[in-house]
């Protein structure tokens, strides 16, 4: 029998076909494999290398700030587009960490309830039906999803190892360039761990100017860098402020994923457009969380301690993966190690996709990873796995290594 909502769902969500797809997406495959493996091997611990969130909670300084601010009556109101103190703290943070000077905090910066909603709202600022978003794959899909919701089109730029996991901007066909309105980039990159250079960002600015394209740089991982690579803002490239915006987040750099706080910085008119959409979408993050966010932004030693931990874990992880036959290199940024998936096992099993390998790895060894089949077959290991001490980190990685070696993987 027909149900009331059968013909009510918008075409952008699939119309009458909404909810009927039988395609199982990779995250569901992994979730099911995890559940099955835990049931089959209750005696084994699951080693979760798939997590996309910090294992540490927010710093006690930040928690204290929230607990002090939460009960203050003056913090109870709708925060709308934010409090000036947060904008000022964000401008000061960008100056100290990224060397950005001359920012007018009230005009160049507006907060967001995390960077995800900012990335969802930006297409509403720029995309008309038929406009094209250029986006990198594999990658964080929110901007592309909203572009499609709005009747825009998406052109994928593959991130390939041969190009340092940077998009080849010269490969975009002229008819696509003509309709392209927005370019989405993310460095340090999820999932490849690749970083961009100042030279690459300058090339992006030239590309944007020549082709009349707005640049959105997703800087969710920008502060997490290793081994001499310094945090780099797209906005530090000459002319970037004229053509783009950068989206920052406190989620990863300050271990605050669930707190939902980030900000956008960039061209004044573009930031104003975001503010207009935001004002019509949410009423701002709780002031007490913004104030706790200020405490975080002032204490970048929190990020430093987090970096030291991830760096130590990357050293262990890459050694272990290499011993098991992978070609792993420590990234210069993010918390992800992106490695080619094996083609099979010595005893004849074949993996046609990274998803097949990832599923096998969970079922056979209770090691969870995230597979990517968008541009080659790769799996992502994250250094945010649960471990309470350096000693425990070593034992988790050693255990993972022994389990991997037993599989006799073929590359
Ligand atoms: C590349 C990238 N951008 C943005 C986000 C969203 O971060 P948040 O909304 O917590 O700021 C994530 C989260 O995993 C991410 O990986």
């Amino acid at each position: 029998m027909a149900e009331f909502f059968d013909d009510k769902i918008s075409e952008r969500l699939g119309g009458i076909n909404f909810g009927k797809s039988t395609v199982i997406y990779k995250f569901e495959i992994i979730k099911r494999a995890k559940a099955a493996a835990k049931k089959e091997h209750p005696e084994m611990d699951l080693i979760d290398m798939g997590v996309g969130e910090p294992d540490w909670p927010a710093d006690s300084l930040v928690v204290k700030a929230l607990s002090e601010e939460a009960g203050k009556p003056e913090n109870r109101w709708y925060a709308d587009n934010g409090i000036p103190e947060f904008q000022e703290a964000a401008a000061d943070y960008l100056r100290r960490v990224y060397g950005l000077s001359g920012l007018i905090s009230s005009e160049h910066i507006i907060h967001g309830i995390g960077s995800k909603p900012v990335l969802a709202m930006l297409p509403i600022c720029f995309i008309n039906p038929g406009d094209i978003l250029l986006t990198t794959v594999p990658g964080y899909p929110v901007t592309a999803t909203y572009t499609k919701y709005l009747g825009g089109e998406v052109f994928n730029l593959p991130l390939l190892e041969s190009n340092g996991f940077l998009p080849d901007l010269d490969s975009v066909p002229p008819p696509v360039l003509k309709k392209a309105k927005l370019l989405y980039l993310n460095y340090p990159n999820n999932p490849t761990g690749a970083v961009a250079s100042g030279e690459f960002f300058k090339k992006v600015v030239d590309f944007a100017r020549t082709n009349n394209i707005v640049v959105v740089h997703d800087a969710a991982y920008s502060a997490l860098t290793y081994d001499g690579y310094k945090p780099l803002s797209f906005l530090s490239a000459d002319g970037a402020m004229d053509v783009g915006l950068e989206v920052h987040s406190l989620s990863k750099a300050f271990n605050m994923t669930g707190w939902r706080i980030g900000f956008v910085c960039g061209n004044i008119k573009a930031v104003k457009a975001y503010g207009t959409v935001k004002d019509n979408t949410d009423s701002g993050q709780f002031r007490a969380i913004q104030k706790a966010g200020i405490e975080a932004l002032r204490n970048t030693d929190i990020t430093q301690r987090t970096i030291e931990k991830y760096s130590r874990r990357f050293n262990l992880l890459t050694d272990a993966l290499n011993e098991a036959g992978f070609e792993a290199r420590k990234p210069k940024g993010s918390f992800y190690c992106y490695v080619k998936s094996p083609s099979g096992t010595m005893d004849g099993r074949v993996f046609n996709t990274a998803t097949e390998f990832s599923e096998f790895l969970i079922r056979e060894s209770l090691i969870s990873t995230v597979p990517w089949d968008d541009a080659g077959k790769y799996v992502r290991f994250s250094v945010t796995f649960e471990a309470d001490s350096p000693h425990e980190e070593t034992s988790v990685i050693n255990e993972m290594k022994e389990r991997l070696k037993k599989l006799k993987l073929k590359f």
Side-chain angles (χ1 to χ4, degrees), residues 12 40 89 91 117 121 132-133 148 162-163 188 216 221 229 244 259 263 266 297 320-321 336 339 371 405:
R12 70 178 63 86
E40 246 172 75
M121 287 180 216
I132 291 181
L133 163 78
K148 287 187 248 172
S162 54
N163 203 33
V216 172
Y221 299 88
Y229 178 85
W259 292 58
F263 59 91
L297 293 169
L321 290 175
Y336 302 119
V339 284
K405 279 162 79 178

Side-chain angles (χ1 to χ4, degrees), residues 52-53 113-117 119 139-140 184 186 188-190 218-221 248-252 256-258 260-262 335-336 380:
E53 306 195 39
I113 303 180
S115 57
K116 187 176 187 175
L119 294 169
Y140 197 66
Y184 166 85
N186 160 229
N189 182 255
N190 174 11
D218 175 352
Y221 299 88
H248 285 263
S249 173
L250 277 69
S251 289
K252 319 286 165 138
M256 291 172 71
T257 42
R260 313 313 301 135
I261 183 85
F335 45 57
Y336 302 119
R380 191 191 77 183

Side-chain angles (χ1 to χ4, degrees), residues 77-96:
W77 311 107
Y78 289 131
D80 298 329
N81 277 354
I83 55 173
E85 302 94 294
F86 182 83
Q87 288 166 296
E88 284 155 21
D92 189 52
Y93 171 79
L94 292 176
R95 183 184 55 73
R96 281 180 285 115

Side-chain angles (χ1 to χ4, degrees), residues 128-182:
N128 289 319
D131 287 346
I132 291 181
L133 163 78
L134 307 175
T135 194
T136 52
V137 285
Y140 197 66
V142 172
T143 307
T145 303
Y146 265 77
T147 296
K148 287 187 248 172
Y149 283 172
L150 296 164
E153 292 164 34
V154 174
F155 184 85
N156 289 334
L157 296 162
L159 298 182
L160 304 173
E161 203 159 344
S162 54
N163 203 33
F165 298 112
L166 297 171
D168 178 5
L169 298 173
D170 300 328
S171 71
V172 185
V176 173
L177 278 179
K178 235 176 134 180
K179 288 166 69 185
K181 186 78 168 287
L182 209 52

Side-chain angles (χ1 to χ4, degrees), residues 304-322:
Q304 281 319 311
R305 285 194 293 279
T306 308
I307 287 172
E308 273 166 36
K309 176 186 67 173
Y310 292 154
S311 182
R312 183 174 70 225
R313 292 179 176 198
F314 268 128
N315 293 338
L316 297 170
L317 175 70
T318 49
D319 284 352
L321 290 175
N322 287 331

